[in-house]
Amino acid sequence: MSSDEARAPQKPKSQPNEARVIPLRPLGKEAEQERREPLWRDLVGDVLRRERLAQERTLKDVADAARISMPYLSELERGRKEASSEVLAAAARALGLGLPDLLSLAQSRLVGLPRVRPTKASLQGEVRLAA
């Protein structure tokens, strides 16, 4: 063995039973989603779900009290649907909150999130209106 071979760093041998993590989505999309502005429906849905779970109540119980369907409430909680103010007020009331309470909790979550700076690519196609 030459002296160069002796000094060269040895590559670790891979273990046959070593687990590998394979991302479900490409890392580029994950980074893009982290930079994206949060959606109001996601914030409100998160507040509804947290409040319901904090009260140890089921979707069915809250949906019945709010007089909305259980699948619709589930979609609201997951941020899949934009609810009218009447539906949000009914869901909030079912959880013992007023609409201002629900919106204030969602706004507090929004303020706590890191600010998203627009990138040059996101500004392309910007529309400006003149007065």
Side-chain angles (χ1 to χ4, degrees):
M1 179 183 291
S2 72
S3 62
D4 288 336
E5 290 175 355
R7 280 185 261 150
Q10 298 291 321
K11 289 185 180 178
K13 293 184 179 181
S14 62
Q15 301 291 329
N17 293 331
E18 190 174 312
R20 279 187 11 198
V21 176
I22 301 171
L24 296 177
R25 290 185 208 112
L27 295 178
K29 287 192 177 202
E30 287 178 6
E32 181 183 321
Q33 287 177 344
E34 288 176 11
R35 288 192 313 259
R36 200 178 73 202
E37 289 282 351
L39 297 176
W40 184 247
R41 67 176 182 242
D42 290 331
L43 296 166
V44 171
D46 186 55
V47 170
L48 288 171
R49 175 168 282 170
R50 286 175 184 264
E51 286 295 318
R52 179 178 61 78
L53 294 175
Q55 295 176 19
E56 299 179 353
R57 295 174 66 187
T58 64
L59 269 171
K60 181 172 177 16
D61 176 42
V62 175
D64 288 347
R67 299 180 61 142
I68 58 179
S69 75
M70 191 174 64
Y72 188 70
L73 178 59
S74 174
E75 289 191 327
L76 289 178
E77 286 186 354
R78 290 181 289 138
R80 306 271 179 160
K81 294 286 185 187
E82 291 276 358
S84 68
S85 57
E86 291 87 358
V87 170
L88 289 178
R93 253 191 325 275
L95 292 166
L97 301 170
L99 183 59
D101 300 321
L102 175 66
L103 300 180
S104 177
L105 288 167
Q107 188 265 346
S108 296
R109 297 214 13 100
L110 180 62
V111 169
L113 294 174
R115 294 201 56 175
V116 176
R117 301 269 184 221
T119 62
K120 191 173 186 176
S122 70
L123 295 177
Q124 289 179 342
E126 182 178 341
V127 176
R128 295 181 186 226
L129 302 175

